[in-house]
Amino acid sequence: MLRNTIRNCSSKIATAIKSSPRGFAATPTETADAVVVGAAGLAVARELALRGREVLVIESAGTFGTGTSSRNSEVIHAGIYYPAKSLKARFCVRGKELLYKYCCDRGIPHKQLGKLIVATSVAEIPKLENLMRFGIANGVEDLRMMEGSDAMRMEPELQCVKALLSPSTGIVDSHSFMLSLLGEAENCKATLSYNTTVVGGHIEGDRLHLHISESKELANNIVDSPVLPQLILIPRLVINSAGLSAVPLARSHLIYPMPEDGGIGVHVTIDLSGLVKFGPDVEWISGPDDISSFLNRFDYSVSSDRSARFYPEIRKYFRNLKDGCLEPGYSGIRAKLCGPKQPPQDFMIQGEDVHGVPGLINLFGIESPGLTSSLAIAEYIVSKL
Ligand SMILES: Cc1cc2nc3c(=O)[nH]c(=O)nc-3n(C[C@H](O)[C@H](O)[C@H](O)COP(=O)(O)OP(=O)(O)OC[C@H]3O[C@@H](n4cnc5c(N)ncnc54)[C@H](O)[C@@H]3O)c2cc1C
Ligand SMILES: *[C@@H]1O[C@H](CO)[C@@H](O)[C@H](O)[C@H]1NC(C)=O
């Protein structure tokens, strides 16, 4: 629908806009009910569609899930690490429950493997005990402290003095999960418009007006030159779930990397094909210009010399790790709201009460455990409407 509108008039509009110095007067407008920006807001899109909203998902890429949602560890987190009463704690624990049920009901590949958090020296034991208290306060009730010898019997290569067992941690095939959300949203008449970017917006007569362009029109845009929209969309509700671009889209400028101490260290995960992955580690980056961010033009390359840092970290718990056995994997970028040496930030979900824009909900800082939390975030947003 939108795609056709854009395709049909794009060249005409471009000319019209260029010769119209007064701005958007010549730009065609369309109204819409609920617009979700970023196809990884699929859980929210599905939930809205199930409740009878007419949902339009606008995605800058050619398909769904090409952003952070396909560049993560695919772990279903238990909800241990996050401060009590934080949104992360609450959505992770609830989201985990919803996600296991969702995957079981629909045959989506997943495994409840359980996880060991290990203390590799006596000095680390109090930290481990702290984590157990955090977990219990967050409602993770099945945690079990184990002697090192018992943990090492479970994992013969492992070296540790004590371990915390989290039975409810697992892994999920995030692509199958997203595909299923998409299918269910589309069954309820949600529409997806790929290759379409929200470049900005303004408020007019109490309604948010979204500025829309075809992604390919933006691809050659000169950095920092103003972008003229090809279409103005006037929705009743906007969910800004643009991931790394959610903040630039809402027009503030922050940086999104991740702090080492706030992270959970170089850990081991196994994917559903049995491949063992170590990581992620931490590298601070600064954000590109807004348009590059909307088009997901981040540098995702992984330099092989980063492995030098991994060997000593991993050998703390896997002493027999052989030299030269690590290969670079892939990278993802965390949507951080805080900078280096700052305390970790919670998820931020802002509605009209916070920013004053009617019908706009911003999802900021949806870093880990965002995948685990997605169904709970969707449930929360829809319950607030
Ligand atoms: C290294 C790493 C490991 C992680 N591991 C885990 C884990 O094990 N378990 C877990 O629960 N979570 C994990 N996470 C967190 C999880 O991956 C994220 O919370 C989640 O994927 C975020 O989804 P999103 O929808 O917010 O963002 P994204 O998946 O990035 O989606 C945003 C979408 O918006 C589109 N977009 C952007 N700008 C625009 C625009 N202007 N107009 C239109 N579309 C636009 C993008 O193309 C993209 O498709 C990890 C994250 C990282 C970085
Ligand atoms: C999106 O754009 C790419 C590149 O221009 C193109 O190959 C692809 O078919 C487009 N996808 C859709 C769904 O329009």
Side-chain angles (χ1 to χ4, degrees):
M1 170 186 67
L2 176 68
R3 207 157 44 227
N4 284 341
T5 314
I6 288 177
R7 195 183 303 126
N8 293 343
C9 8
S10 67
S11 58
K12 253 189 291 171
I13 297 162
T15 332
I17 290 171
K18 275 179 202 133
S19 56
S20 160
R22 270 169 293 115
F24 312 124
T27 311
T29 58
E30 269 195 36
T31 54
D33 179 23
V35 168
V36 175
V37 186
L42 287 172
V44 185
R46 167 185 169 271
E47 194 72 39
L48 287 168
L50 286 176
R51 308 289 176 107
R53 300 291 299 244
E54 215 175 283
V55 178
L56 172 64
V57 180
I58 298 186
E59 168 55 56
S60 56
T63 186
F64 65 92
T66 57
T68 310
S69 296
S70 59
R71 297 181 160 275
N72 59 59
S73 315
E74 301 191 298
V75 172
I76 302 176
H77 285 298
I80 302 168
Y81 300 95
Y82 320 106
K85 302 209 165 66
S86 63
L87 292 179
K88 283 185 181 173
R90 170 174 159 194
F91 291 154
C92 187
V93 171
R94 173 72 179 148
K96 168 183 69 175
E97 187 188 319
L98 293 172
L99 185 55
Y100 276 124
K101 176 154 184 2
Y102 189 98
C103 291
C104 285
D105 290 352
R106 292 159 179 85
I108 291 165
H110 70 288
K111 255 187 202 154
Q112 189 172 336
L113 293 171
K115 136 167 153 179
L116 288 170
I117 307 171
V118 296
T120 54
S121 67
V122 177
E124 282 183 344
I125 293 176
K127 263 203 238 166
L128 206 60
E129 286 166 345
N130 244 341
L131 279 180
M132 178 148 177
R133 273 193 290 275
F134 261 69
I136 292 169
N138 289 348
V140 188
E141 278 146 7
D142 53 0
L143 297 174
R144 195 152 62 80
M145 197 62 84
M146 296 172 78
E147 287 310 319
S149 53
D150 293 333
M152 279 150 47
R153 218 168 294 131
M154 280 171 73
E155 290 293 334
E157 290 290 311
L158 182 69
Q159 187 63 47
C160 68
V161 293
K162 236 178 174 152
L164 184 61
L165 176 69
S166 165
S168 70
T169 304
I171 50 176
V172 60
D173 175 350
S174 57
H175 192 81
S176 302
F177 173 50
M178 287 188 277
L179 194 61
S180 166
L181 293 172
L182 174 66
E184 294 194 5
E186 284 184 325
N187 280 343
C188 297
K189 308 268 185 309
T191 314
L192 273 99
S193 185
Y194 292 119
N195 287 335
T196 310
T197 302
V198 180
V199 291
H202 71 278
I203 302 164
E204 205 177 299
D206 229 29
R207 295 282 294 270
L208 184 60
H209 290 50
L210 290 180
H211 304 178
I212 317 280
S213 278
E214 273 185 295
S215 299
K216 75 167 161 34
E217 289 291 315
L218 298 172
N220 303 318
N221 189 68
I222 300 149
V223 171
D224 289 338
S225 72
V227 179
L228 294 164
Q230 293 164 283
L231 180 77
I232 302 233
L233 195 62
I234 313 169
R236 293 204 298 172
L237 173 69
V238 178
I239 311 292
N240 171 10
S241 51
L244 297 171
S245 308
V247 169
L249 190 56
R251 293 204 176 284
S252 32
H253 290 269
L254 295 167
I255 303 171
Y256 22 75
M258 57 182 185
E260 190 89 89
D261 29 353
I264 47 181
V266 174
H267 58 278
V268 197
T269 50
I270 297 175
D271 68 14
L272 284 156
S273 63
L275 190 74
V276 177
K277 301 178 284 189
F278 295 96
D281 70 336
V282 180
E283 183 178 348
W284 290 88
I285 60 158
S286 46
D289 64 279
D290 291 359
I291 296 297
S292 300
S293 158
F294 298 160
L295 300 177
N296 198 14
R297 286 184 177 156
F298 297 92
D299 180 4
Y300 287 113
S301 60
V302 182
S303 146
S304 54
D305 39 282
R306 291 195 74 79
S307 67
R309 292 185 58 215
F310 276 67
Y311 284 98
E313 284 297 317
I314 297 166
R315 283 187 181 128
K316 285 184 195 160
Y317 49 85
F318 279 155
R319 277 206 191 135
N320 296 330
L321 187 74
K322 302 267 182 305
D323 276 329
C325 71
L326 295 177
E327 273 176 45
Y330 57 92
S331 74
I333 301 172
R334 296 194 164 179
K336 278 281 170 191
L337 296 173
C338 54
K341 309 230 156 63
Q342 289 173 343
Q345 280 266 359
D346 201 4
F347 292 154
M348 216 183 258
I349 299 181
Q350 299 184 333
E352 184 178 351
D353 51 331
V354 178
H355 52 59
V357 181
L360 173 67
I361 297 175
N362 285 321
L363 273 69
F364 293 150
I366 309 298
E367 52 177 332
S368 198
L371 175 66
T372 311
S373 304
S374 52
L375 292 169
I377 293 174
E379 182 182 68
Y380 172 80
I381 288 177
V382 171
S383 76
K384 287 267 169 186
L385 291 174

